Amino acid sequence: MNDAIYTYLLVANLITFVVYGIDKAKAKLDGWRIPEKTLLLLALVGGSIGAYAAMRIFRHKTKHPQFSIGIPVIFILQVFLAGYLIAQ
């Protein structure tokens, strides 16, 4: 079971990282953008580390409070949830 969870989190974070990178590239080209709700949802479903890494590496969404504050809050909540579930 743990292997499945680790695999899910790895894939979720990789996908989130790539999607943030694509959105940054589209922003530079004035192309169609990925909705912010989608970016936040990807972090919420397990991609918070990928989202944070992409924000730092691509310098993307770092001035938006819902991302600069929201992504770390989502990560902290996920850590507490994981700790709770492991303790059960």
Side-chain angles (χ1 to χ4, degrees), residues 17-76:
F17 183 84
V18 169
V19 170
Y20 272 64
I22 290 169
D23 190 55
K24 177 64 176 194
K26 289 179 180 246
K28 286 183 175 182
L29 299 173
D30 289 327
W32 176 83
R33 301 289 302 278
I34 296 167
E36 289 185 348
K37 287 181 182 181
T38 301
L39 297 174
L40 289 169
L41 182 63
L42 286 169
L44 193 62
V45 298
S48 58
I49 294 171
Y52 187 78
M55 287 172 58
R56 295 295 163 223
I57 291 170
F58 302 127
R59 296 182 184 195
H60 190 48
K61 301 289 186 188
T62 57
K63 294 182 181 180
H64 299 267
Q66 65 264 34
F67 288 91
S68 63
I69 296 169
I71 299 300
V73 167
I74 290 170
F75 174 70
I76 290 167

